Amino acid sequence: MQKWLYHLFLKTINSIKMDKNKFLKYLVLVLFLLNVLTISSLFFFEKNNNNRKNEHARPEKIIIDQLNFDKTQQEQYRKLITWHRNRIDTFENQIKNNKQQLYAELSKNNVDLQTKDSLINNLALCQKSIEITHFQHFEDIKKICKSNQIQDFINLTEELSTIFSKKRKPN
């Protein structure tokens, strides 16, 4: 098969009947165009990456910007963030511990079904508590909004699931 391709390639080259200088000019032109395309694609992708960075801005910044919080509201909001983060961290630690205990059951010869069910229920309760905490957090954010910011808050609520659906990166 390789011989066949090689002979086909040679026949194609010979049928073109091109002198060396003309071939080299075309080769340089093609290489130049490839370089231009490569460099322009780098700029294009860099521009898209900058847009992605904005899409993945911190939720704190997104909320402050979209709700146009003034300095006082920003301070109140940062206090809410501290409360929210502490509660979420507590529940996430409980989830981690429950998962460790749950998967430790797999190392036993016989899994204790009552322990397994209890740990799975604890995981569900922790996840429920996280969602309740998130909801309460946004109720508290709404309370610090001024009347002219309520429509912005309503608009923000339509985006909440997408803004917060991405997992937090560890600090």
Side-chain angles (χ1 to χ4, degrees), residues 55-56 156-166:
E55 288 174 8
H56 299 297
L156 177 68
T157 61
E158 295 170 5
E159 301 174 39
L160 288 179
S161 63
T162 57
I163 292 172
F164 297 101
S165 64
K166 287 118 186 130

Side-chain angles (χ1 to χ4, degrees), residues 80-96:
L80 293 176
I81 291 172
T82 302
W83 170 84
H84 177 255
R85 190 74 254 149
N86 288 337
R87 293 215 14 133
I88 296 300
D89 287 345
T90 300
F91 293 127
E92 286 177 346
N93 286 332
Q94 289 174 7
I95 288 173
K96 179 182 172 185

Side-chain angles (χ1 to χ4, degrees), residues 62-69 141 145 149 152-153 156:
I62 292 170
I63 290 172
I64 288 172
D65 291 346
Q66 287 192 10
L67 298 180
N68 299 308
F69 277 169
I141 290 171
C145 288
Q149 295 168 318
D152 293 330
F153 179 83
L156 177 68

Side-chain angles (χ1 to χ4, degrees), residues 26-170:
Y26 283 123
L27 183 63
V28 167
L29 179 64
V30 168
L31 291 174
F32 174 75
L33 291 174
L34 285 172
N35 280 333
V36 168
L37 285 172
T38 303
I39 291 170
S40 63
S41 70
L42 288 174
F43 285 115
F44 174 75
F45 287 119
E46 182 65 30
K47 183 178 178 183
N48 282 346
N49 284 340
N50 287 339
N51 288 341
R52 279 192 207 121
K53 287 177 189 171
N54 291 338
E55 288 174 8
H56 299 297
R58 290 180 49 131
E60 175 182 355
K61 181 171 176 20
I62 292 170
I63 290 172
I64 288 172
D65 291 346
Q66 287 192 10
L67 298 180
N68 299 308
F69 277 169
D70 61 27
K71 295 293 181 196
T72 305
Q73 288 173 307
Q74 288 180 34
E75 288 174 25
Q76 292 172 321
Y77 175 54
R78 287 194 175 93
K79 288 178 185 173
L80 293 176
I81 291 172
T82 302
W83 170 84
H84 177 255
R85 190 74 254 149
N86 288 337
R87 293 215 14 133
I88 296 300
D89 287 345
T90 300
F91 293 127
E92 286 177 346
N93 286 332
Q94 289 174 7
I95 288 173
K96 179 182 172 185
N97 292 335
N98 280 305
K99 282 185 176 185
Q100 286 173 342
Q101 292 175 36
L102 177 65
Y103 294 118
E105 288 293 310
L106 292 171
S107 64
K108 298 177 180 176
N109 288 334
N110 293 316
V111 173
D112 181 351
L113 295 179
Q114 188 174 2
T115 301
K116 179 188 90 166
D117 289 343
S118 174
L119 290 168
I120 290 173
N121 285 333
N122 286 344
L123 287 168
L125 288 173
C126 287
Q127 190 59 47
K128 179 180 177 181
S129 297
I130 285 174
E131 296 308 322
I132 290 169
T133 301
H134 288 327
F135 194 86
Q136 184 178 351
H137 180 60
F138 285 101
E139 285 181 318
D140 293 341
I141 290 171
K142 185 177 181 181
K143 289 175 187 172
I144 64 174
C145 288
K146 296 176 181 174
S147 59
N148 62 337
Q149 295 168 318
I150 294 298
Q151 186 57 50
D152 293 330
F153 179 83
I154 291 168
N155 294 340
L156 177 68
T157 61
E158 295 170 5
E159 301 174 39
L160 288 179
S161 63
T162 57
I163 292 172
F164 297 101
S165 64
K166 287 118 186 130
K167 287 283 184 188
R168 258 184 4 119
K169 292 181 181 175

